[in-house]
Amino acid sequence: MNFKIIDRILSHRLSLVDRYIINQLGLFFLFSVGLFSCLGVTIGTVSDLGYKVTEYNLPIPIAVLIFCYKIPEYAAYALPISILLSSLIIFGRLNSDRELIALLSFGISLKRIIAPALVFSLFITGITFLFNELIVPAANYQANLLQNPFIAKTELNLQKKDIFYPEYESGKNQESSRILKRIYFAEEYRDRTLKKVTIITLERGEISQIITAKLAKKEQGRQVWNLIEGEINQINNLNGNINTEEFHHKKIPLSTTLFEIVQKERSPDDMNIRQAKEYLNLIKDSGRKIDIAKFTVRIQQKYAFPFICLIFASIGSALGTKYSQVNRSQAFGFCVAIVFIYYFLGFTFGSLGITGVLSPFWAAWIPNFLGIGTGIWLLTINY
């Protein structure tokens, strides 16, 4: 045991205890973040980029840029894991070196000893939230944009093909609250243009108009579509007659929601909370129940995820102070097990939220409530 440190703690009492513990946690935390970030981006990205370079002729400079853009994502995952490992190892070392017993003998309670770790984890919680909101979505989106010209079947490219959107209007009574008004089809969206467009208009549940066009663009600042090279088929449901009008260029007043959706459409991981809410607001009347549920749950998970730093700190601190023989290999074992259990619970309850079994709030927050409950229980049974 380092008696000089104990003497300094005696002279400055609690303030130096806080400083000492946070200093120990901070140094190992920075090391862990660097380690897990490097391991994650290397294992998760290098092999995939190597495959794309050889299979799709992805230029090496572009691959290097994509590699750099993927680092923030893995750093964001590394932050809570690092706080868990740091708590396990540092408090385990304090316990094995009898420094923990010395602090307790001076009248400092276990809760007071662990308090600096919890405060430090709250600080990391804020950093994780800002990181996931300001940096990670933008970096992921830029990485996807870089590889789109070279790889046809990226998630982002697939979202811009075979586009379907139903437009509803409010009914006149409660029994018909939402009436299908119009159906939009497009083969592809590229360069702010919809290609091979079909628009079907319904009246009283029957098709009254079918518009086809080679290209469609949105009129800037107006609810108007510019259609190029197509035809309009007016259907008279009384006598079955069809009147066809061909056109080279025509402006038609239509909702531009579809353009806004395809412009903003991307993976939830490529959006921050504001962008996800804007996109959810656009698709809420589209009838796409799975997409609506997925984005609703993901928004709640974006709020919940940063707080696992606090949960992991409480669990790591409790386990470190409970077991005096926690070495680094055992700490890694505990860390892997705890992270696996948390992400398994997150996946399970998230799936239940998407399928409608649980509300989005409970689907996102139940793993956190279980985690913080476990941390409190471990702390209460220690001493």
mmCIF file with all atom_site columns, all heavy atoms in Angstrom, residues 1 3 6-7 9-10 13-14 17 94 97-110 113 383:
data_model
loop_
_atom_site.group_PDB
_atom_site.id
_atom_site.type_symbol
_atom_site.label_atom_id
_atom_site.label_alt_id
_atom_site.label_comp_id
_atom_site.label_asym_id
_atom_site.label_entity_id
_atom_site.label_seq_id
_atom_site.pdbx_PDB_ins_code
_atom_site.Cartn_x
_atom_site.Cartn_y
_atom_site.Cartn_z
_atom_site.occupancy
_atom_site.B_iso_or_equiv
_atom_site.pdbx_formal_charge
_atom_site.auth_seq_id
_atom_site.auth_comp_id
_atom_site.auth_asym_id
_atom_site.auth_atom_id
_atom_site.pdbx_PDB_model_num
ATOM 1   N N   . MET A 1 1   ? 0.836   -1.188 0.000  1.00 0.00 ? 1   MET A N   1
ATOM 2   C CA  . MET A 1 1   ? 0.000   0.000  0.000  1.00 0.00 ? 1   MET A CA  1
ATOM 3   C C   . MET A 1 1   ? 0.882   1.253  0.000  1.00 0.00 ? 1   MET A C   1
ATOM 4   O O   . MET A 1 1   ? 1.915   1.279  0.645  1.00 0.00 ? 1   MET A O   1
ATOM 5   C CB  . MET A 1 1   ? -0.904  -0.009 1.239  1.00 0.00 ? 1   MET A CB  1
ATOM 6   C CG  . MET A 1 1   ? -2.007  1.027  1.213  1.00 0.00 ? 1   MET A CG  1
ATOM 7   S SD  . MET A 1 1   ? -2.808  1.178  2.833  1.00 0.00 ? 1   MET A SD  1
ATOM 8   C CE  . MET A 1 1   ? -3.093  -0.514 3.245  1.00 0.00 ? 1   MET A CE  1
ATOM 9   N N   . PHE A 1 3   ? 1.656   4.417  1.505  1.00 0.00 ? 3   PHE A N   1
ATOM 10  C CA  . PHE A 1 3   ? 1.304   5.168  2.715  1.00 0.00 ? 3   PHE A CA  1
ATOM 11  C C   . PHE A 1 3   ? 1.392   6.668  2.514  1.00 0.00 ? 3   PHE A C   1
ATOM 12  O O   . PHE A 1 3   ? 0.733   7.430  3.225  1.00 0.00 ? 3   PHE A O   1
ATOM 13  C CB  . PHE A 1 3   ? 2.214   4.718  3.870  1.00 0.00 ? 3   PHE A CB  1
ATOM 14  C CG  . PHE A 1 3   ? 1.945   3.330  4.336  1.00 0.00 ? 3   PHE A CG  1
ATOM 15  C CD1 . PHE A 1 3   ? 2.747   2.267  3.927  1.00 0.00 ? 3   PHE A CD1 1
ATOM 16  C CD2 . PHE A 1 3   ? 0.863   3.058  5.155  1.00 0.00 ? 3   PHE A CD2 1
ATOM 17  C CE1 . PHE A 1 3   ? 2.486   0.988  4.341  1.00 0.00 ? 3   PHE A CE1 1
ATOM 18  C CE2 . PHE A 1 3   ? 0.604   1.770  5.593  1.00 0.00 ? 3   PHE A CE2 1
ATOM 19  C CZ  . PHE A 1 3   ? 1.411   0.727  5.168  1.00 0.00 ? 3   PHE A CZ  1
ATOM 20  N N   . ILE A 1 6   ? -1.969  7.730  1.577  1.00 0.00 ? 6   ILE A N   1
ATOM 21  C CA  . ILE A 1 6   ? -2.884  7.740  2.720  1.00 0.00 ? 6   ILE A CA  1
ATOM 22  C C   . ILE A 1 6   ? -2.654  8.971  3.592  1.00 0.00 ? 6   ILE A C   1
ATOM 23  O O   . ILE A 1 6   ? -3.595  9.602  4.088  1.00 0.00 ? 6   ILE A O   1
ATOM 24  C CB  . ILE A 1 6   ? -2.723  6.451  3.542  1.00 0.00 ? 6   ILE A CB  1
ATOM 25  C CG1 . ILE A 1 6   ? -3.046  5.222  2.676  1.00 0.00 ? 6   ILE A CG1 1
ATOM 26  C CG2 . ILE A 1 6   ? -3.600  6.479  4.776  1.00 0.00 ? 6   ILE A CG2 1
ATOM 27  C CD1 . ILE A 1 6   ? -4.442  5.220  2.141  1.00 0.00 ? 6   ILE A CD1 1
ATOM 28  N N   . ASP A 1 7   ? -1.378  9.351  3.789  1.00 0.00 ? 7   ASP A N   1
ATOM 29  C CA  . ASP A 1 7   ? -1.070  10.537 4.579  1.00 0.00 ? 7   ASP A CA  1
ATOM 30  C C   . ASP A 1 7   ? -1.668  11.783 3.933  1.00 0.00 ? 7   ASP A C   1
ATOM 31  O O   . ASP A 1 7   ? -2.208  12.658 4.620  1.00 0.00 ? 7   ASP A O   1
ATOM 32  C CB  . ASP A 1 7   ? 0.446   10.703 4.711  1.00 0.00 ? 7   ASP A CB  1
ATOM 33  C CG  . ASP A 1 7   ? 1.056   9.622  5.613  1.00 0.00 ? 7   ASP A CG  1
ATOM 34  O OD1 . ASP A 1 7   ? 0.291   9.070  6.423  1.00 0.00 ? 7   ASP A OD1 1
ATOM 35  O OD2 . ASP A 1 7   ? 2.261   9.354  5.476  1.00 0.00 ? 7   ASP A OD2 1
ATOM 36  N N   . ILE A 1 9   ? -4.240  11.815 1.994  1.00 0.00 ? 9   ILE A N   1
ATOM 37  C CA  . ILE A 1 9   ? -5.695  11.728 2.141  1.00 0.00 ? 9   ILE A CA  1
ATOM 38  C C   . ILE A 1 9   ? -6.119  12.183 3.541  1.00 0.00 ? 9   ILE A C   1
ATOM 39  O O   . ILE A 1 9   ? -7.121  12.877 3.711  1.00 0.00 ? 9   ILE A O   1
ATOM 40  C CB  . ILE A 1 9   ? -6.162  10.281 1.878  1.00 0.00 ? 9   ILE A CB  1
ATOM 41  C CG1 . ILE A 1 9   ? -5.962  9.948  0.395  1.00 0.00 ? 9   ILE A CG1 1
ATOM 42  C CG2 . ILE A 1 9   ? -7.620  10.085 2.268  1.00 0.00 ? 9   ILE A CG2 1
ATOM 43  C CD1 . ILE A 1 9   ? -6.269  8.502  0.056  1.00 0.00 ? 9   ILE A CD1 1
ATOM 44  N N   . LEU A 1 10  ? -5.330  11.795 4.550  1.00 0.00 ? 10  LEU A N   1
ATOM 45  C CA  . LEU A 1 10  ? -5.652  12.208 5.915  1.00 0.00 ? 10  LEU A CA  1
ATOM 46  C C   . LEU A 1 10  ? -5.612  13.717 6.073  1.00 0.00 ? 10  LEU A C   1
ATOM 47  O O   . LEU A 1 10  ? -6.461  14.316 6.721  1.00 0.00 ? 10  LEU A O   1
ATOM 48  C CB  . LEU A 1 10  ? -4.666  11.557 6.888  1.00 0.00 ? 10  LEU A CB  1
ATOM 49  C CG  . LEU A 1 10  ? -4.988  10.118 7.330  1.00 0.00 ? 10  LEU A CG  1
ATOM 50  C CD1 . LEU A 1 10  ? -3.826  9.549  8.109  1.00 0.00 ? 10  LEU A CD1 1
ATOM 51  C CD2 . LEU A 1 10  ? -6.261  10.111 8.159  1.00 0.00 ? 10  LEU A CD2 1
ATOM 52  N N   . ARG A 1 13  ? -8.437  15.113 3.715  1.00 0.00 ? 13  ARG A N   1
ATOM 53  C CA  . ARG A 1 13  ? -9.691  14.412 3.952  1.00 0.00 ? 13  ARG A CA  1
ATOM 54  C C   . ARG A 1 13  ? -10.394 14.081 2.632  1.00 0.00 ? 13  ARG A C   1
ATOM 55  O O   . ARG A 1 13  ? -9.784  13.561 1.715  1.00 0.00 ? 13  ARG A O   1
ATOM 56  C CB  . ARG A 1 13  ? -10.578 15.256 4.880  1.00 0.00 ? 13  ARG A CB  1
ATOM 57  C CG  . ARG A 1 13  ? -11.682 14.491 5.586  1.00 0.00 ? 13  ARG A CG  1
ATOM 58  C CD  . ARG A 1 13  ? -11.159 13.474 6.546  1.00 0.00 ? 13  ARG A CD  1
ATOM 59  N NE  . ARG A 1 13  ? -12.218 12.784 7.247  1.00 0.00 ? 13  ARG A NE  1
ATOM 60  C CZ  . ARG A 1 13  ? -12.006 11.765 8.035  1.00 0.00 ? 13  ARG A CZ  1
ATOM 61  N NH1 . ARG A 1 13  ? -10.791 11.333 8.261  1.00 0.00 ? 13  ARG A NH1 1
ATOM 62  N NH2 . ARG A 1 13  ? -13.026 11.165 8.632  1.00 0.00 ? 13  ARG A NH2 1
ATOM 63  N N   . LEU A 1 14  ? -11.681 14.381 2.485  1.00 0.00 ? 14  LEU A N   1
ATOM 64  C CA  . LEU A 1 14  ? -12.486 13.868 1.386  1.00 0.00 ? 14  LEU A CA  1
ATOM 65  C C   . LEU A 1 14  ? -12.144 14.467 0.034  1.00 0.00 ? 14  LEU A C   1
ATOM 66  O O   . LEU A 1 14  ? -12.230 13.786 -0.981 1.00 0.00 ? 14  LEU A O   1
ATOM 67  C CB  . LEU A 1 14  ? -13.973 14.092 1.696  1.00 0.00 ? 14  LEU A CB  1
ATOM 68  C CG  . LEU A 1 14  ? -14.494 13.369 2.937  1.00 0.00 ? 14  LEU A CG  1
ATOM 69  C CD1 . LEU A 1 14  ? -15.962 13.682 3.141  1.00 0.00 ? 14  LEU A CD1 1
ATOM 70  C CD2 . LEU A 1 14  ? -14.269 11.880 2.843  1.00 0.00 ? 14  LEU A CD2 1
ATOM 71  N N   . VAL A 1 17  ? -9.536  12.463 -1.582 1.00 0.00 ? 17  VAL A N   1
ATOM 72  C CA  . VAL A 1 17  ? -10.056 11.141 -1.939 1.00 0.00 ? 17  VAL A CA  1
ATOM 73  C C   . VAL A 1 17  ? -10.731 11.221 -3.304 1.00 0.00 ? 17  VAL A C   1
ATOM 74  O O   . VAL A 1 17  ? -10.500 10.376 -4.188 1.00 0.00 ? 17  VAL A O   1
ATOM 75  C CB  . VAL A 1 17  ? -11.053 10.635 -0.876 1.00 0.00 ? 17  VAL A CB  1
ATOM 76  C CG1 . VAL A 1 17  ? -11.736 9.357  -1.345 1.00 0.00 ? 17  VAL A CG1 1
ATOM 77  C CG2 . VAL A 1 17  ? -10.356 10.405 0.448  1.00 0.00 ? 17  VAL A CG2 1
ATOM 78  N N   . LEU A 1 94  ? -7.870  -1.108 -5.565 1.00 0.00 ? 94  LEU A N   1
ATOM 79  C CA  . LEU A 1 94  ? -7.972  -0.482 -4.247 1.00 0.00 ? 94  LEU A CA  1
ATOM 80  C C   . LEU A 1 94  ? -8.311  -1.524 -3.171 1.00 0.00 ? 94  LEU A C   1
ATOM 81  O O   . LEU A 1 94  ? -7.806  -1.469 -2.045 1.00 0.00 ? 94  LEU A O   1
ATOM 82  C CB  . LEU A 1 94  ? -9.035  0.617  -4.261 1.00 0.00 ? 94  LEU A CB  1
ATOM 83  C CG  . LEU A 1 94  ? -8.729  1.890  -5.052 1.00 0.00 ? 94  LEU A CG  1
ATOM 84  C CD1 . LEU A 1 94  ? -9.945  2.813  -5.049 1.00 0.00 ? 94  LEU A CD1 1
ATOM 85  C CD2 . LEU A 1 94  ? -7.521  2.614  -4.479 1.00 0.00 ? 94  LEU A CD2 1
ATOM 86  N N   . ASP A 1 97  ? -5.184  -3.999 -2.734 1.00 0.00 ? 97  ASP A N   1
ATOM 87  C CA  . ASP A 1 97  ? -4.049  -3.338 -2.092 1.00 0.00 ? 97  ASP A CA  1
ATOM 88  C C   . ASP A 1 97  ? -4.378  -2.857 -0.677 1.00 0.00 ? 97  ASP A C   1
ATOM 89  O O   . ASP A 1 97  ? -3.569  -2.155 -0.056 1.00 0.00 ? 97  ASP A O   1
ATOM 90  C CB  . ASP A 1 97  ? -3.596  -2.138 -2.930 1.00 0.00 ? 97  ASP A CB  1
ATOM 91  C CG  . ASP A 1 97  ? -2.923  -2.560 -4.229 1.00 0.00 ? 97  ASP A CG  1
ATOM 92  O OD1 . ASP A 1 97  ? -2.614  -3.762 -4.370 1.00 0.00 ? 97  ASP A OD1 1
ATOM 93  O OD2 . ASP A 1 97  ? -2.720  -1.697 -5.107 1.00 0.00 ? 97  ASP A OD2 1
ATOM 94  N N   . ARG A 1 98  ? -5.584  -3.164 -0.203 1.00 0.00 ? 98  ARG A N   1
ATOM 95  C CA  . ARG A 1 98  ? -6.052  -2.773 1.132  1.00 0.00 ? 98  ARG A CA  1
ATOM 96  C C   . ARG A 1 98  ? -6.226  -1.266 1.292  1.00 0.00 ? 98  ARG A C   1
ATOM 97  O O   . ARG A 1 98  ? -6.404  -0.777 2.408  1.00 0.00 ? 98  ARG A O   1
ATOM 98  C CB  . ARG A 1 98  ? -5.094  -3.295 2.226  1.00 0.00 ? 98  ARG A CB  1
ATOM 99  C CG  . ARG A 1 98  ? -4.877  -4.805 2.213  1.00 0.00 ? 98  ARG A CG  1
ATOM 100 C CD  . ARG A 1 98  ? -6.166  -5.554 2.504  1.00 0.00 ? 98  ARG A CD  1
ATOM 101 N NE  . ARG A 1 98  ? -5.937  -6.994 2.629  1.00 0.00 ? 98  ARG A NE  1
ATOM 102 C CZ  . ARG A 1 98  ? -6.052  -7.862 1.631  1.00 0.00 ? 98  ARG A CZ  1
ATOM 103 N NH1 . ARG A 1 98  ? -6.384  -7.418 0.406  1.00 0.00 ? 98  ARG A NH1 1
ATOM 104 N NH2 . ARG A 1 98  ? -5.857  -9.154 1.820  1.00 0.00 ? 98  ARG A NH2 1
ATOM 105 N N   . GLU A 1 99  ? -6.152  -0.531 0.226  1.00 0.00 ? 99  GLU A N   1
ATOM 106 C CA  . GLU A 1 99  ? -6.404  0.918  0.312  1.00 0.00 ? 99  GLU A CA  1
ATOM 107 C C   . GLU A 1 99  ? -7.854  1.181  0.640  1.00 0.00 ? 99  GLU A C   1
ATOM 108 O O   . GLU A 1 99  ? -8.187  2.152  1.347  1.00 0.00 ? 99  GLU A O   1
ATOM 109 C CB  . GLU A 1 99  ? -6.017  1.598  -1.002 1.00 0.00 ? 99  GLU A CB  1
ATOM 110 C CG  . GLU A 1 99  ? -4.523  1.587  -1.289 1.00 0.00 ? 99  GLU A CG  1
ATOM 111 C CD  . GLU A 1 99  ? -4.184  2.338  -2.576 1.00 0.00 ? 99  GLU A CD  1
ATOM 112 O OE1 . GLU A 1 99  ? -4.727  3.438  -2.766 1.00 0.00 ? 99  GLU A OE1 1
ATOM 113 O OE2 . GLU A 1 99  ? -3.382  1.824  -3.377 1.00 0.00 ? 99  GLU A OE2 1
ATOM 114 N N   . LEU A 1 100 ? -8.743  0.328  0.143  1.00 0.00 ? 100 LEU A N   1
ATOM 115 C CA  . LEU A 1 100 ? -10.169 0.481  0.427  1.00 0.00 ? 100 LEU A CA  1
ATOM 116 C C   . LEU A 1 100 ? -10.429 0.294  1.929  1.00 0.00 ? 100 LEU A C   1
ATOM 117 O O   . LEU A 1 100 ? -11.189 1.069  2.539  1.00 0.00 ? 100 LEU A O   1
ATOM 118 C CB  . LEU A 1 100 ? -10.965 -0.535 -0.391 1.00 0.00 ? 100 LEU A CB  1
ATOM 119 C CG  . LEU A 1 100 ? -12.484 -0.436 -0.293 1.00 0.00 ? 100 LEU A CG  1
ATOM 120 C CD1 . LEU A 1 100 ? -12.973 0.897  -0.830 1.00 0.00 ? 100 LEU A CD1 1
ATOM 121 C CD2 . LEU A 1 100 ? -13.144 -1.582 -1.061 1.00 0.00 ? 100 LEU A CD2 1
ATOM 122 N N   . ILE A 1 101 ? -9.796  -0.712 2.524  1.00 0.00 ? 101 ILE A N   1
ATOM 123 C CA  . ILE A 1 101 ? -9.971  -0.937 3.958  1.00 0.00 ? 101 ILE A CA  1
ATOM 124 C C   . ILE A 1 101 ? -9.427  0.239  4.766  1.00 0.00 ? 101 ILE A C   1
ATOM 125 O O   . ILE A 1 101 ? -10.017 0.664  5.765  1.00 0.00 ? 101 ILE A O   1
ATOM 126 C CB  . ILE A 1 101 ? -9.264  -2.252 4.376  1.00 0.00 ? 101 ILE A CB  1
ATOM 127 C CG1 . ILE A 1 101 ? -9.940  -3.441 3.697  1.00 0.00 ? 101 ILE A CG1 1
ATOM 128 C CG2 . ILE A 1 101 ? -9.264  -2.422 5.891  1.00 0.00 ? 101 ILE A CG2 1
ATOM 129 C CD1 . ILE A 1 101 ? -9.243  -4.765 3.954  1.00 0.00 ? 101 ILE A CD1 1
ATOM 130 N N   . ALA A 1 102 ? -8.295  0.806  4.307  1.00 0.00 ? 102 ALA A N   1
ATOM 131 C CA  . ALA A 1 102 ? -7.718  1.960  5.005  1.00 0.00 ? 102 ALA A CA  1
ATOM 132 C C   . ALA A 1 102 ? -8.677  3.148  4.964  1.00 0.00 ? 102 ALA A C   1
ATOM 133 O O   . ALA A 1 102 ? -8.888  3.834  5.976  1.00 0.00 ? 102 ALA A O   1
ATOM 134 C CB  . ALA A 1 102 ? -6.380  2.333  4.364  1.00 0.00 ? 102 ALA A CB  1
ATOM 135 N N   . LEU A 1 103 ? -9.267  3.388  3.815  1.00 0.00 ? 103 LEU A N   1
ATOM 136 C CA  . LEU A 1 103 ? -10.213 4.502  3.688  1.00 0.00 ? 103 LEU A CA  1
ATOM 137 C C   . LEU A 1 103 ? -11.429 4.280  4.574  1.00 0.00 ? 103 LEU A C   1
ATOM 138 O O   . LEU A 1 103 ? -11.918 5.222  5.224  1.00 0.00 ? 103 LEU A O   1
ATOM 139 C CB  . LEU A 1 103 ? -10.642 4.653  2.222  1.00 0.00 ? 103 LEU A CB  1
ATOM 140 C CG  . LEU A 1 103 ? -9.564  5.113  1.233  1.00 0.00 ? 103 LEU A CG  1
ATOM 141 C CD1 . LEU A 1 103 ? -10.077 5.029  -0.200 1.00 0.00 ? 103 LEU A CD1 1
ATOM 142 C CD2 . LEU A 1 103 ? -9.122  6.538  1.546  1.00 0.00 ? 103 LEU A CD2 1
ATOM 143 N N   . LEU A 1 104 ? -11.926 3.045  4.607  1.00 0.00 ? 104 LEU A N   1
ATOM 144 C CA  . LEU A 1 104 ? -13.074 2.751  5.458  1.00 0.00 ? 104 LEU A CA  1
ATOM 145 C C   . LEU A 1 104 ? -12.732 2.916  6.938  1.00 0.00 ? 104 LEU A C   1
ATOM 146 O O   . LEU A 1 104 ? -13.561 3.365  7.739  1.00 0.00 ? 104 LEU A O   1
ATOM 147 C CB  . LEU A 1 104 ? -13.571 1.322  5.195  1.00 0.00 ? 104 LEU A CB  1
ATOM 148 C CG  . LEU A 1 104 ? -14.204 1.062  3.826  1.00 0.00 ? 104 LEU A CG  1
ATOM 149 C CD1 . LEU A 1 104 ? -14.432 -0.436 3.610  1.00 0.00 ? 104 LEU A CD1 1
ATOM 150 C CD2 . LEU A 1 104 ? -15.528 1.812  3.693  1.00 0.00 ? 104 LEU A CD2 1
ATOM 151 N N   . SER A 1 105 ? -11.492 2.573  7.293  1.00 0.00 ? 105 SER A N   1
ATOM 152 C CA  . SER A 1 105 ? -11.077 2.695  8.698  1.00 0.00 ? 105 SER A CA  1
ATOM 153 C C   . SER A 1 105 ? -10.979 4.136  9.143  1.00 0.00 ? 105 SER A C   1
ATOM 154 O O   . SER A 1 105 ? -11.030 4.432  10.336 1.00 0.00 ? 105 SER A O   1
ATOM 155 C CB  . SER A 1 105 ? -9.739  1.990  8.902  1.00 0.00 ? 105 SER A CB  1
ATOM 156 O OG  . SER A 1 105 ? -8.693  2.674  8.222  1.00 0.00 ? 105 SER A OG  1
ATOM 157 N N   . PHE A 1 106 ? -10.804 5.049  8.183  1.00 0.00 ? 106 PHE A N   1
ATOM 158 C CA  . PHE A 1 106 ? -10.756 6.474  8.517  1.00 0.00 ? 106 PHE A CA  1
ATOM 159 C C   . PHE A 1 106 ? -12.144 7.092  8.628  1.00 0.00 ? 106 PHE A C   1
ATOM 160 O O   . PHE A 1 106 ? -12.287 8.301  8.783  1.00 0.00 ? 106 PHE A O   1
ATOM 161 C CB  . PHE A 1 106 ? -9.956  7.242  7.467  1.00 0.00 ? 106 PHE A CB  1
ATOM 162 C CG  . PHE A 1 106 ? -8.527  6.794  7.358  1.00 0.00 ? 106 PHE A CG  1
ATOM 163 C CD1 . PHE A 1 106 ? -7.898  6.738  6.119  1.00 0.00 ? 106 PHE A CD1 1
ATOM 164 C CD2 . PHE A 1 106 ? -7.802  6.434  8.479  1.00 0.00 ? 106 PHE A CD2 1
ATOM 165 C CE1 . PHE A 1 106 ? -6.583  6.324  6.019  1.00 0.00 ? 106 PHE A CE1 1
ATOM 166 C CE2 . PHE A 1 106 ? -6.481  6.023  8.382  1.00 0.00 ? 106 PHE A CE2 1
ATOM 167 C CZ  . PHE A 1 106 ? -5.866  5.963  7.145  1.00 0.00 ? 106 PHE A CZ  1
ATOM 168 N N   . GLY A 1 107 ? -13.175 6.258  8.550  1.00 0.00 ? 107 GLY A N   1
ATOM 169 C CA  . GLY A 1 107 ? -14.547 6.741  8.705  1.00 0.00 ? 107 GLY A CA  1
ATOM 170 C C   . GLY A 1 107 ? -15.208 7.163  7.413  1.00 0.00 ? 107 GLY A C   1
ATOM 171 O O   . GLY A 1 107 ? -16.303 7.742  7.444  1.00 0.00 ? 107 GLY A O   1
ATOM 172 N N   . ILE A 1 108 ? -14.574 6.901  6.295  1.00 0.00 ? 108 ILE A N   1
ATOM 173 C CA  . ILE A 1 108 ? -15.171 7.248  5.004  1.00 0.00 ? 108 ILE A CA  1
ATOM 174 C C   . ILE A 1 108 ? -16.041 6.083  4.552  1.00 0.00 ? 108 ILE A C   1
ATOM 175 O O   . ILE A 1 108 ? -15.572 4.957  4.437  1.00 0.00 ? 108 ILE A O   1
ATOM 176 C CB  . ILE A 1 108 ? -14.081 7.524  3.948  1.00 0.00 ? 108 ILE A CB  1
ATOM 177 C CG1 . ILE A 1 108 ? -13.134 8.619  4.448  1.00 0.00 ? 108 ILE A CG1 1
ATOM 178 C CG2 . ILE A 1 108 ? -14.699 7.933  2.626  1.00 0.00 ? 108 ILE A CG2 1
ATOM 179 C CD1 . ILE A 1 108 ? -11.942 8.837  3.536  1.00 0.00 ? 108 ILE A CD1 1
ATOM 180 N N   . SER A 1 109 ? -17.306 6.329  4.306  1.00 0.00 ? 109 SER A N   1
ATOM 181 C CA  . SER A 1 109 ? -18.229 5.256  3.939  1.00 0.00 ? 109 SER A CA  1
ATOM 182 C C   . SER A 1 109 ? -17.960 4.769  2.517  1.00 0.00 ? 109 SER A C   1
ATOM 183 O O   . SER A 1 109 ? -17.357 5.473  1.694  1.00 0.00 ? 109 SER A O   1
ATOM 184 C CB  . SER A 1 109 ? -19.678 5.737  4.052  1.00 0.00 ? 109 SER A CB  1
ATOM 185 O OG  . SER A 1 109 ? -19.944 6.721  3.063  1.00 0.00 ? 109 SER A OG  1
ATOM 186 N N   . LEU A 1 110 ? -18.428 3.560  2.237  1.00 0.00 ? 110 LEU A N   1
ATOM 187 C CA  . LEU A 1 110 ? -18.248 2.992  0.899  1.00 0.00 ? 110 LEU A CA  1
ATOM 188 C C   . LEU A 1 110 ? -18.985 3.828  -0.154 1.00 0.00 ? 110 LEU A C   1
ATOM 189 O O   . LEU A 1 110 ? -18.469 4.039  -1.260 1.00 0.00 ? 110 LEU A O   1
ATOM 190 C CB  . LEU A 1 110 ? -18.762 1.547  0.878  1.00 0.00 ? 110 LEU A CB  1
ATOM 191 C CG  . LEU A 1 110 ? -18.630 0.820  -0.458 1.00 0.00 ? 110 LEU A CG  1
ATOM 192 C CD1 . LEU A 1 110 ? -17.161 0.649  -0.836 1.00 0.00 ? 110 LEU A CD1 1
ATOM 193 C CD2 . LEU A 1 110 ? -19.335 -0.532 -0.410 1.00 0.00 ? 110 LEU A CD2 1
ATOM 194 N N   . ILE A 1 113 ? -16.920 6.702  -1.023 1.00 0.00 ? 113 ILE A N   1
ATOM 195 C CA  . ILE A 1 113 ? -15.752 6.341  -1.827 1.00 0.00 ? 113 ILE A CA  1
ATOM 196 C C   . ILE A 1 113 ? -16.150 6.146  -3.294 1.00 0.00 ? 113 ILE A C   1
ATOM 197 O O   . ILE A 1 113 ? -15.425 6.535  -4.208 1.00 0.00 ? 113 ILE A O   1
ATOM 198 C CB  . ILE A 1 113 ? -15.110 5.050  -1.267 1.00 0.00 ? 113 ILE A CB  1
ATOM 199 C CG1 . ILE A 1 113 ? -14.555 5.311  0.138  1.00 0.00 ? 113 ILE A CG1 1
ATOM 200 C CG2 . ILE A 1 113 ? -14.004 4.545  -2.189 1.00 0.00 ? 113 ILE A CG2 1
ATOM 201 C CD1 . ILE A 1 113 ? -14.102 4.058  0.855  1.00 0.00 ? 113 ILE A CD1 1
ATOM 202 N N   . TYR A 1 383 ? -21.494 -3.762 1.955  1.00 0.00 ? 383 TYR A N   1
ATOM 203 C CA  . TYR A 1 383 ? -21.110 -3.453 3.331  1.00 0.00 ? 383 TYR A CA  1
ATOM 204 C C   . TYR A 1 383 ? -22.346 -2.981 4.097  1.00 0.00 ? 383 TYR A C   1
ATOM 205 O O   . TYR A 1 383 ? -23.202 -2.328 3.548  1.00 0.00 ? 383 TYR A O   1
ATOM 206 C CB  . TYR A 1 383 ? -20.032 -2.336 3.372  1.00 0.00 ? 383 TYR A CB  1
ATOM 207 C CG  . TYR A 1 383 ? -18.700 -2.798 2.839  1.00 0.00 ? 383 TYR A CG  1
ATOM 208 C CD1 . TYR A 1 383 ? -18.395 -2.671 1.493  1.00 0.00 ? 383 TYR A CD1 1
ATOM 209 C CD2 . TYR A 1 383 ? -17.757 -3.351 3.694  1.00 0.00 ? 383 TYR A CD2 1
ATOM 210 C CE1 . TYR A 1 383 ? -17.156 -3.078 1.013  1.00 0.00 ? 383 TYR A CE1 1
ATOM 211 C CE2 . TYR A 1 383 ? -16.511 -3.773 3.228  1.00 0.00 ? 383 TYR A CE2 1
ATOM 212 C CZ  . TYR A 1 383 ? -16.242 -3.628 1.884  1.00 0.00 ? 383 TYR A CZ  1
ATOM 213 O OH  . TYR A 1 383 ? -15.014 -4.040 1.406  1.00 0.00 ? 383 TYR A OH  1
#
